[in-house]
Amino acid sequence: MNKQNNLYGHLAAGFSIFVWGTTFISTKVLLGAFTPLEILFFRFLIGYAALWLACPRLLRTKSKKQECLFAAAGICGVTLYFLMENFALTITLAANVSVIIAVAPFFTALFDWLFLKGEKPGPQFLAGFLIAIIGISLISFQKSAGMRINPKGDFLALAAAVTWAAYSVITKKIGEYGHGTVETTRRIFFYGLLFMVPALAILPFRLGFYRLADTKNLLNILFLGLGASALCFATWNFAVKELGSVKTSVYIYAVPVITVISSMLLLDERISFQSVCGIVMTLAGLMVSESKARSKGLRLWQKKQGSVQN
């Protein structure tokens, strides 16, 4: 059963990353009619409503500590992460953001070790991390778009990576409480939307539902709300619950790979030899980082089987 759940966890993480890697296309289309904040608010509002329809059962927490963890997950994984990432994209190069965000697995492993008494990041994890970062850099920093340091934008991207790492570790802790994945994700969305309200009052925002009369806008916002938000956050949280925050977060390395391949297939963009090398290195880094966790899990399973036989 543990091996089967492990497989489902990997499939769930892979599915989440595959969808998230293609969301840039929908966001790019919607930015012609919506502001980044409007896209963010509408997608999570739709996702929140969809999760209520999927599971109308009320989640009841057993303590204020649990409720505080849900609130922390909402502000970290929804409000702060997406706001900082979106603002970073308006200040610095998208290439910078894609590479900096990819350091989230490193912070996840660090936080897991420091706060949840997880395993200390070892040489193999760090080697995989470095290989993946080099690969992502090759994908992101093409000849036509080299790296230009922008302290404000790059710092926002780094802060976004840290908040996502915090979100992953918090949801790992929430997973120990035994609540359903859909109810857990819905409660996190509630707090994410709640903490978004101050930003709605400060930054430019309008309802303007007439924009959804355009089928293109409607389909893309539904994809972001139902697929990238409601479904993928639920599958990601399930993966964290089954695999742990560190093993799941490593899948973030694959986002630029999915983005490059989907842009080639859907936008007819050409893929360069440099990108191919980057894709290979990124996937190699992912496998190196994951291999230690897999071998450790196999040893524990073999040890357990031996003790049962004895």
Side-chain angles (χ1 to χ4, degrees), residues 52-215:
W52 263 114
L53 291 174
C55 183
R57 185 170 60 253
L58 184 66
L59 185 151
R60 299 184 184 278
T61 54
K62 297 180 180 179
S63 66
K64 290 184 178 179
K65 179 183 177 181
Q66 287 191 20
E67 201 66 42
C68 287
L69 283 176
F70 278 108
I75 194 171
C76 288
V78 177
T79 311
L80 290 180
Y81 174 77
F82 283 99
L83 283 178
M84 288 192 290
E85 182 186 57
N86 288 347
F87 278 111
L89 287 169
T90 65
I91 299 173
T92 191
L93 297 176
N96 291 33
V97 176
S98 66
V99 173
I100 294 171
I101 290 293
V103 305
F106 173 77
F107 286 110
T108 303
L110 187 64
F111 291 166
D112 185 73
W113 171 52
L114 291 175
F115 300 114
L116 298 183
K117 299 180 180 179
E119 184 180 0
K120 182 179 180 180
Q124 196 162 341
F125 177 88
L126 296 176
F129 168 74
L130 291 175
I131 293 171
I133 289 297
I134 293 172
I136 293 167
S137 298
L138 288 174
I139 294 171
S140 302
F141 302 133
Q142 302 291 327
K143 292 180 180 179
S144 59
M147 184 176 186
R148 292 201 302 270
I149 302 299
N150 186 311
K152 289 183 179 179
D154 295 343
F155 175 77
L156 279 175
L158 181 63
V162 173
T163 58
W164 185 261
Y167 169 78
S168 296
V169 172
I170 293 168
T171 51
K172 177 184 177 181
K173 184 65 178 177
I174 290 174
E176 297 174 0
Y177 296 141
H179 300 300
T181 303
V182 173
E183 299 99 306
T184 294
T185 306
R186 188 181 65 219
R187 182 63 61 88
I188 291 171
F189 277 22
F190 167 76
Y191 282 109
L193 288 165
L194 182 64
F195 288 118
M196 225 179 282
V197 171
L200 299 180
I202 298 172
L203 301 173
F205 178 84
R206 60 195 175 110
L207 292 175
F209 291 121
Y210 65 88
R211 291 171 290 182
L212 297 177
D214 186 330
T215 305

Side-chain angles (χ1 to χ4, degrees), residues 213-284:
D214 186 330
T215 305
K216 179 177 62 177
N217 290 338
L218 178 62
L219 291 178
N220 280 288
I221 200 70
L222 286 176
F223 169 71
L224 291 178
L226 300 178
S229 296
L231 181 58
C232 284
F233 265 78
T235 54
W236 181 266
N237 291 341
F238 171 79
V240 170
K241 185 177 180 180
E242 296 299 329
L243 304 177
S245 55
V246 177
K247 289 178 69 176
T248 307
S249 68
V250 170
Y251 277 90
I252 291 173
Y253 296 149
V255 170
V257 175
I258 300 298
T259 299
V260 169
I261 295 175
S262 61
S263 64
M264 179 185 67
L265 296 175
L266 301 176
L267 300 180
D268 294 324
E269 295 184 2
R270 297 182 62 183
I271 183 170
S272 66
F273 177 73
Q274 182 175 327
S275 292
V276 172
C277 294
I279 289 172
V280 172
M281 289 195 70
T282 302
L283 295 177

